[in-house]
Amino acid sequence: ADVACPTCGETYDPFVAVLLALHGEEKCEQQFGVDSVQLAETLVTLGNAYGSGCDPEKQREILERAVAIYTSHPPEIAEHPEVGKALIGLGWAHGVLGDADAQVTLL
């Protein structure tokens, strides 16, 4: 779930990863729309960047939005591998936030 430089492969600091993903979120919304798979993919990156930066509440919020977008599409999209990444991150966030029942359900 780490965001890395496409040139050198170095992993970005979580703060930088969040800033880059926020920019990507804005561009995806403009170019593809608020219910697009491209936006959902970007939200998974953003949510997990928030998790790496120790903001599980924001991670949960963003990943729930991504999952909602994925599941609003036909089954072949709703079963996209990125959904798994979103659910794992969402489970982690719920665990950190003390909701073990939700964590167990998701993981």
Side-chain angles (χ1 to χ4, degrees):
D2 292 329
V3 179
C5 173
T7 303
C8 71
E10 186 72 25
T11 301
Y12 291 121
D13 176 82
F15 177 76
V16 174
V18 166
L19 291 177
L20 289 170
L22 283 168
H23 179 71
E25 175 189 17
E26 179 182 326
K27 293 298 181 185
C28 281
E29 284 178 348
Q30 291 171 356
Q31 187 170 354
F32 303 110
V34 296
D35 293 325
S36 69
V37 172
Q38 294 87 346
L39 176 60
E41 291 171 352
T42 301
L43 291 174
V44 171
T45 300
L46 176 59
N48 288 325
Y50 274 118
S52 295
C54 298
D55 190 345
E57 184 64 40
K58 195 71 173 169
Q59 180 185 23
R60 181 194 57 77
E61 174 187 322
I62 296 293
L63 292 177
E64 284 177 348
R65 185 172 160 213
V67 170
I69 292 170
Y70 280 124
T71 57
S72 72
H73 287 275
E76 61 272 7
I77 301 296
E79 295 172 4
H80 191 281
E82 285 292 308
V83 178
K85 291 180 186 177
L87 293 174
I88 289 169
L90 195 52
W92 181 87
H94 278 288
V96 170
L97 294 168
D99 189 350
D101 291 337
Q103 182 181 30
V104 169
T105 300
L106 291 162
L107 300 176

